[in-house]
Amino acid sequence: MTMRDRYTSPVPDGTWDVPASGAARFTWEYEDGRDRLLALYQKGKDKQWDAQKRIDWDLPVDVNNVAGFPEEFNPLVGSDVWDRMPQEARDEFGRHQGAWLFSQFLHGEQGALTVSARIVESVPDLDSKFYAATQVMDEARHVELYKKFVDEKLGMYYPINQDLAKLLEESLTDGRWDLPYLGMQVLIEGLALASFGLYRDMSTNPLVKQLLAYVMQDEARHVAFGRLALKDYYAELTEKERAEREEFVVEGCYLMRDRFKGKEIFETLGMPVKECMAYVDNGPVYQLYQSLLFSRIVPCVRDIGLWGDKVQKAYADMGVLDAAKGDLVQLMKQDEQIAEDIDRAKHEQELAERRAEVQAAIAEGAAEEEGAVALEGAAE
């Protein structure tokens, strides 16, 4: 079976070519840059890790319930569609839901890889080029990690969601250097960070919790990078220029909101799409999910200064305006701490296992010695 055979629906041959516009910008200003960005660059270097070695890949995954969620967190629970489904069909839905979700995570990380490389090329200041270069390595690792997870644990891929593809395309084809920042670092990465956090915190599967925690440790820096790099620049924009960015934010947020509704799953499984989508749109699970998804984007958009009436109206329409009160810095500190706590727990477990091995070896040696003494006594 080839890789393409593992997709739930055909994907085009060859590559998806997005013509990028805008200049590749060089700078001959090699003096010290902004302290906050250089500190973030240093942290980016210090926090590099190996996805092959840091993740416990031997941990099992239930393909019918990848995250190990209780049934009430399924977006269709309580609907007539769900009530009519036998257990076999529900298991198949769970398998497709997991494959679809982690496929979108994978495609989003490849988008982040390409866009962060574009930022290195297009951003005018050297300190931003430095940090974006560390992000390129981070995103390559995330693509490697999610590809391995989907390939080895789930065995099935979904094509890229079209809302995500559209925002990626718009982020790359606009010639203004800040648009890749805004599209990727603020919108796509912000939404991904919130989604990863939701699954990390609610998952009962140790492997899923582990890989999401480690990815989020990196993503927290990426969102901080976009926030720091854009805040100063947007303070100097004209009203017209700011309005153009706010229009981009509004469109991008609606695309990101629709990205996680799962329409492709219903289509692939031949389910009644309109009935399923109507229930998802109005059901309590998706309403909660949506409010949590924007917990990282809304305070970041506010903080970088794109907080005009149109943006606030859009967030009020989505029911996420209150997310502006969130403390983004504190959330990102928590993300880093959770990954460090998992590392500490793994280290303590390894030490305990080594101590047990040593104690077992000592006990075995003592037993052998006692046996030898007993034999000598018997011989005498």
Side-chain angles (χ1 to χ4, degrees), residues 50-70:
D50 189 334
Q52 298 294 334
K53 297 177 180 178
R54 198 182 191 192
I55 304 295
D56 295 332
W57 289 108
D58 291 335
L59 291 169
V61 172
D62 178 0
V63 295
N64 296 330
N65 187 358
V66 175
F69 280 5

Side-chain angles (χ1 to χ4, degrees), residues 93-164:
F93 179 82
R95 176 170 176 255
H96 278 256
Q97 188 178 40
W100 166 79
L101 178 72
F102 280 90
S103 292
Q104 300 316 313
F105 287 169
L106 170 61
H107 300 320
E109 294 300 332
Q110 187 187 170
L113 172 63
T114 303
V115 175
S116 55
R118 175 64 177 152
I119 290 173
V120 174
E121 178 186 48
S122 64
V123 73
D125 47 289
L126 199 60
D127 49 9
S128 290
K129 289 182 184 292
F130 281 174
Y131 179 75
T134 67
Q135 184 176 340
V136 172
M137 186 61 215
D138 289 345
E139 305 298 2
R141 179 169 57 249
H142 299 171
V143 173
E144 173 194 3
L145 179 150
Y146 282 125
K147 186 267 179 189
K148 183 178 179 70
F149 182 77
V150 176
D151 195 51
E152 296 183 5
K153 299 298 184 179
L154 307 183
M156 179 169 61
Y157 291 81
Y158 265 77
I160 187 171
N161 172 272
Q162 291 307 299
D163 294 318
L164 172 60

Side-chain angles (χ1 to χ4, degrees), residues 180-191:
Y181 271 104
L182 187 56
M184 177 52 67
Q185 309 295 96
V186 176
L187 301 184
I188 296 175
E189 294 275 40
L191 187 76

Side-chain angles (χ1 to χ4, degrees), residues 175-205:
R176 293 167 292 186
W177 68 263
D178 63 294
L179 264 293
Y181 271 104
L182 187 56
M184 177 52 67
Q185 309 295 96
V186 176
L187 301 184
I188 296 175
E189 294 275 40
L191 187 76
L193 193 56
S195 185
F196 295 165
L198 180 65
Y199 279 84
R200 176 200 65 191
D201 296 342
M202 295 176 62
S203 176
T204 58
N205 180 277

